[in-house]
Amino acid sequence: MQLTDRFNTGLKCAKTKTPGVLFNHQMALCTVATLQTATLGCVLMCVLSYLYLNGNVGGPEANPLPSQHTKRLLARNQLPSKTACTCSPGSAQLKDFLPPDSEELLKRRAKELQQHKARTESVLSTRLYAPSNSPLQYPIQGFKVRPMTPTFIPGLALHAEQRSNYTVSLEVSEGVLRTTIPAKGVQIKVTGNGESRLMVESSSLEALNELLADVSYTSTIYHILTGDLATFQFEDHEAVFPITIKQPQPPVLYDMGKDINSQVTITTKTFLRYPELNVLLKTIREFYKDIEIIIADDSIKPEKIPGPHIQHFIMPPAQGWFAGRNLAVSQVTTKYFLWVDDDFLFTKLTKIEELVKVMEAVPELDVLGGKVQGDQFYFSLIYEEGDEVEGGCMYRKSRRRYHSLPGYPKCSVVNGVVNFFLARTDAVQRVGFDPQLKRLAHSEFFMDGLGSLMVATCGHVSVSHQARLKHNDTKLYKAFRYPPRSDAKSKLQLHFFKNHLKCIKYG
């Protein structure tokens, strides 16, 4: 399927072929996977032209053109197209690290970006304007329906001066509208009952409003999260309001139990550092005798780690830092996990309960960091989306916080923290750790989670760090601990494609 170069407003899209994209049957909507990943800056026109104006996705009749109603609304309410971001001095220009023949890679990158937009952007991102001095009453926010389930539209009414006749219309694109058919003798006319455009005429304003109170909306497609725009008209007055079509999701709850052992699991990753790992375990048991500990181990010659409440997972050798993190976190069954490095030391200041207390009091938080050896390392991330061709700009600002966490003056809201943090298990599992990043990786997890993970750091909980041991100077350990420059180059190439960046700067 080819993309159009323009769709009314001149939004440019790269030409590519994209099979298997989700679509809606009546109106060109960008599909949405989850609200937590939805962005407000929806380049909706490009996605619509991409999915619907050229070609057949899923069969020759699966892709009808957008309705005139849809085209009119989108052309009028579209968001401005994104402009290129400017890389600050010292930023790594990621194109410089691409292989010489990268034309096909650039095409695949453009294709993946369009599919990402199809999953994360929606008609619900369309900019809407409230009309001034309008006689129309309608829901401006919060009207949510289950897919293919009739739902009354709340608050529909007309407040107009006396006339001999009143005519209103309501039009949607992804569903049908129904209302009560008036009894014979009532001076009211209904046109389009059970269709996408409903018109009501009456000489009685009271009778018209009674009928509007019975108008229901039913989506005609099944989708777990998408939307529709309803247009409400009376004479020269027109209003548009959003309808969220969402499949209700059952909650996934964790039983916190009665003590820290049923609330938190300690997780770590080890590689060729058994002396340090054993010291860590010993200090953990001084303060938390029965807490569960999960160890992901990709050492070349694994050793046994004895002891109760320890899950030791042996991986293939040298799989890497993030692969081990993924394995460890995937086995957590408690609401929270505490991440620690294998060469940390627990002290009397390592009070996991204090971190849990903050997380429970502020349920919006996903990750809460502490101090390591007295150092409260944290950072913020500045991301500019940029345009569709070149990509965005990413900057990491060390020691930069946004503000104090309300109610906790020793804690601050940030975007990333040190390798000592308490995290909400389900939230981190959704983001995951990219196993392509084997050794040069930490900030990258928080980059992938930017916009979906709420992160903070606290200064009143800390862990200590072990002194460097001689065995860390062996040739074998150094070969993995200090990777070649090619690893850094590969990471920049990954950012270019996966995060659609044109430049990145660590500060």
Side-chain angles (χ1 to χ4, degrees):
M1 177 179 69
Q2 291 203 338
L3 303 179
T4 54
D5 291 327
R6 297 179 181 270
F7 181 71
N8 295 339
T9 56
L11 288 175
K12 295 181 179 179
C13 297
K15 291 185 177 181
T16 186
K17 291 186 177 291
T18 309
V21 178
L22 292 175
F23 57 87
N24 294 330
H25 288 280
Q26 293 186 16
M27 170 180 162
L29 295 181
C30 301
T31 57
V32 181
T34 166
L35 276 175
Q36 290 181 319
T37 60
T39 58
L40 291 177
C42 182
V43 190
L44 190 57
M45 303 294 292
C46 178
V47 181
L48 293 176
S49 59
Y50 161 57
L51 291 178
Y52 289 90
L53 293 185
N54 292 276
N56 296 312
V57 177
E61 297 181 0
N63 241 1
L65 295 178
S67 68
Q68 292 302 315
H69 170 242
T70 302
K71 288 182 180 179
R72 187 180 74 251
L73 286 178
L74 296 175
R76 184 180 61 196
N77 297 314
Q78 54 145 336
L79 293 177
S81 59
K82 297 182 179 70
T83 57
C85 59
T86 303
C87 299
S88 67
S91 298
Q93 302 293 321
L94 302 186
K95 266 194 173 182
D96 296 343
F97 297 91
L98 299 181
D101 185 12
S102 56
E103 184 178 348
E104 288 301 318
L105 182 142
L106 294 175
K107 289 180 179 179
R108 295 195 302 270
R109 180 179 184 244
K111 170 186 171 182
E112 286 299 312
L113 177 65
Q114 298 306 323
Q115 290 191 342
H116 168 76
K117 288 184 175 183
R119 289 179 58 81
T120 60
E121 297 178 349
S122 160
V123 70
L124 299 177
S125 300
T126 304
R127 181 182 293 169
L128 302 177
Y129 299 91
S132 60
N133 302 317
S134 174
L136 299 169
Q137 177 182 302
Y138 52 93
I140 62 172
Q141 177 179 297
F143 180 41
K144 187 184 299 183
V145 302
R146 285 188 295 154
M148 307 182 76
T149 303
T151 307
F152 287 111
I153 302 177
L156 282 184
L158 176 67
H159 303 282
E161 295 179 355
Q162 186 172 354
R163 287 165 171 76
S164 59
N165 190 62
Y166 304 88
T167 302
V168 298
S169 68
L170 191 65
E171 185 175 0
V172 295
S173 297
E174 287 299 292
V176 294
L177 301 161
R178 289 186 174 86
T179 189
T180 305
I181 299 297
K184 291 183 178 180
V186 178
Q187 295 185 349
I188 193 165
K189 180 182 178 182
V190 177
T191 305
N193 202 31
E195 300 176 7
S196 61
R197 189 170 190 270
L198 179 70
M199 182 176 291
V200 182
E201 301 177 52
S202 178
S203 59
S204 167
L205 181 60
E206 182 179 357
L208 183 141
N209 281 329
E210 286 180 0
L211 192 143
L212 287 176
D214 287 333
V215 173
S216 67
Y217 171 89
T218 307
S219 69
T220 52
I221 61 164
Y222 181 85
H223 200 288
I224 60 171
L225 181 55
T226 185
D228 202 346
L229 294 178
T231 301
F232 192 22
Q233 288 182 306
F234 169 69
E235 295 180 348
D236 294 332
H237 301 282
E238 181 181 280
V240 181
F241 61 90
I243 302 172
T244 301
I245 305 169
K246 186 178 188 303
Q247 172 61 51
Q249 196 173 359
V252 178
L253 307 178
Y254 290 85
D255 185 358
M256 288 284 284
K258 298 180 180 179
D259 58 29
I260 195 70
N261 300 321
S262 57
Q263 299 166 359
V264 178
T265 301
I266 297 176
T267 56
T268 192
K269 155 78 174 60
T270 194
F271 177 73
L272 301 178
R273 295 208 296 194
Y274 291 109
E276 289 92 337
L277 176 63
N278 288 323
V279 171
L280 168 66
L281 296 176
K282 182 180 178 181
T283 62
I284 290 175
R285 290 302 179 218
E286 289 179 20
F287 301 96
Y288 298 97
K289 178 182 166 185
D290 297 319
I291 200 166
E292 197 73 15
I293 303 172
I294 294 178
I295 303 165
D297 185 353
D298 63 345
S299 297
I300 295 173
K301 293 182 179 180
E303 298 179 10
K304 289 186 177 181
I305 306 296
H309 302 293
I310 291 178
Q311 300 180 47
H312 184 204
F313 292 94
I314 306 297
M315 305 169 63
Q319 290 301 296
W321 175 228
F322 271 15
R325 276 188 160 185
N326 268 336
L327 173 57
V329 173
S330 73
Q331 300 304 304
V332 175
T333 59
T334 52
K335 184 176 182 178
Y336 302 109
F337 70 89
L338 182 77
W339 186 267
V340 295
D341 283 354
D342 59 357
D343 59 350
F344 284 174
L345 287 168
F346 273 43
T347 71
K348 62 181 180 180
L349 297 178
T350 313
K351 296 185 179 296
I352 306 175
E353 294 86 350
E354 291 298 313
L355 296 177
V356 172
K357 185 186 299 182
V358 177
M359 292 282 278
E360 285 292 291
V362 189
E364 298 90 344
L365 282 179
D366 297 301
V367 178
L368 184 62
K371 284 184 176 180
V372 176
Q373 199 78 9
D375 184 12
Q376 189 178 354
F377 175 75
Y378 53 86
F379 56 89
S380 65
L381 294 169
I382 300 174
Y383 170 56
E384 300 174 18
E385 291 179 87
D387 62 16
E388 292 190 14
V389 178
E390 290 189 318
C393 305
M394 179 80 77
Y395 309 106
R396 190 188 76 177
K397 303 286 187 180
S398 298
R399 313 285 179 183
R400 178 170 174 174
R401 65 187 186 93
Y402 294 107
H403 52 75
S404 296
L405 189 67
Y408 294 90
K410 294 182 180 179
C411 305
S412 301
V413 177
V414 295
N415 291 131
V417 294
V418 72
N419 280 341
F420 171 58
F421 57 82
L422 186 75
R424 196 174 298 276
T425 303
D426 57 351
V428 171
Q429 287 175 343
R430 283 194 295 268
V431 174
F433 300 89
D434 191 339
Q436 296 180 85
L437 298 166
K438 292 183 176 294
R439 289 177 286 277
L440 294 175
H442 176 65
S443 303
E444 290 71 22
F445 161 68
F446 294 102
M447 291 178 182
D448 288 345
L450 186 64
S452 61
L453 294 179
M454 191 73 179
V455 184
T457 179
C458 292
H460 64 293
V461 180
S462 66
V463 72
S464 190
H465 197 283
Q466 299 177 40
R468 183 180 178 83
L469 299 180
K470 287 185 179 180
H471 78 93
N472 291 332
D473 294 326
T474 63
K475 186 177 181 180
L476 177 61
Y477 182 80
K478 283 184 175 180
F480 290 96
R481 180 67 177 84
Y482 305 105
R485 290 184 178 180
S486 58
D487 280 27
K489 181 179 179 180
S490 296
K491 185 171 77 168
L492 294 176
Q493 292 175 349
L494 181 65
H495 283 311
F496 175 82
F497 192 105
K498 185 181 80 170
N499 302 124
H500 199 252
L501 297 178
K502 75 172 181 179
C503 59
I504 190 169
K505 184 178 181 181
Y506 295 90

